[in-house]
Amino acid sequence: MKLQSLDYNSLPGISQRVFSSLSYYDDLLGQKGLEERSHLSSQACRILQRCIGRSDFQTMSIVTGGADAGFIVSRNWSKRCREVFWLVVFQDFKRKGLAKFAMLETTASIKHSFLTVHPKNAPAIRLYQSIGFEPTSKMTKRHVLPRQYFVKST
């Protein structure tokens, strides 16, 4: 397992893999989940293109066994504070510890980290809490989804 810089050559075909990987949205939101999944997957390449190469973003591919297994995008707000902006593990690589590995690697050298997650996404919440993130009472909305903030300080 390793993280490596995501580059433009990795982007073709990523939209369909993102669409499949976000199937839990359907369980959370029914028909709205399908709409949100379609929206995010169609935007995936455009969002990633905007982040690649920017000094304030880390856009990393999660690689295992020589294959791209997902990606993690984080934004540096300062030398001591980072937002985990987007984490996707592709469907055929889920439940293998890759998300935990990517999160630990991404937040290891940072004093303060934060992220948002849908309050009903129990697997993600369990993961974040297992590595030291704590929920806050702050809520926001991203697209049509409610999101709860989680923070971690070391």
Side-chain angles (χ1 to χ4, degrees):
M1 259 183 269
K2 66 180 180 177
L3 294 182
Q4 67 185 33
S5 292
L6 186 67
D7 61 23
Y8 294 108
N9 296 328
S10 303
L11 296 180
I14 210 166
S15 291
Q16 185 56 42
R17 295 186 84 182
V18 169
F19 182 82
S20 297
S21 298
L22 297 176
S23 59
Y24 67 88
Y25 276 57
D26 298 351
D27 297 334
L28 293 174
L29 302 170
Q31 182 60 33
K32 278 282 190 202
L34 181 60
E35 293 169 19
E36 181 66 8
R37 210 159 45 113
S38 296
H39 171 75
L40 284 174
S41 61
S42 68
Q43 300 297 315
C45 284
R46 194 175 77 185
I47 292 167
L48 291 170
Q49 284 174 334
R50 281 190 279 173
C51 297
I52 291 173
R54 284 183 49 176
S55 61
D56 56 335
F57 280 89
Q58 279 189 314
T59 310
M60 307 298 287
S61 179
I62 305 167
V63 178
T64 187
D68 285 336
F71 58 87
I72 187 167
V73 180
S74 61
R75 183 175 188 178
N76 299 322
W77 289 97
S78 70
K79 289 180 181 180
R80 298 170 25 130
C81 183
R82 178 174 291 159
E83 174 187 11
V84 178
F85 181 71
W86 203 6
L87 171 62
V88 172
V89 175
F90 298 140
Q91 191 64 39
D92 38 341
F93 294 97
K94 288 185 182 275
R95 311 289 309 157
K96 298 181 187 318
L98 297 171
K100 185 173 188 174
F101 166 78
M103 288 292 297
L104 289 171
E105 288 289 309
T106 300
T107 61
S109 62
I110 300 296
K111 180 104 173 124
H112 304 286
S113 302
F114 70 97
L115 53 84
T116 62
V117 63
H118 190 283
K120 292 184 180 175
N121 188 347
I125 290 170
R126 277 193 305 276
L127 166 68
Y128 302 144
Q129 289 180 318
S130 78
I131 59 173
F133 281 83
E134 296 180 10
T136 70
S137 59
K138 185 174 179 181
M139 297 286 288
T140 188
K141 271 198 171 182
R142 188 173 282 166
H143 307 295
V144 299
L145 297 176
R147 310 288 288 183
Q148 181 174 11
Y149 277 88
F150 278 71
V151 297
K152 176 182 176 182
S153 294
T154 55

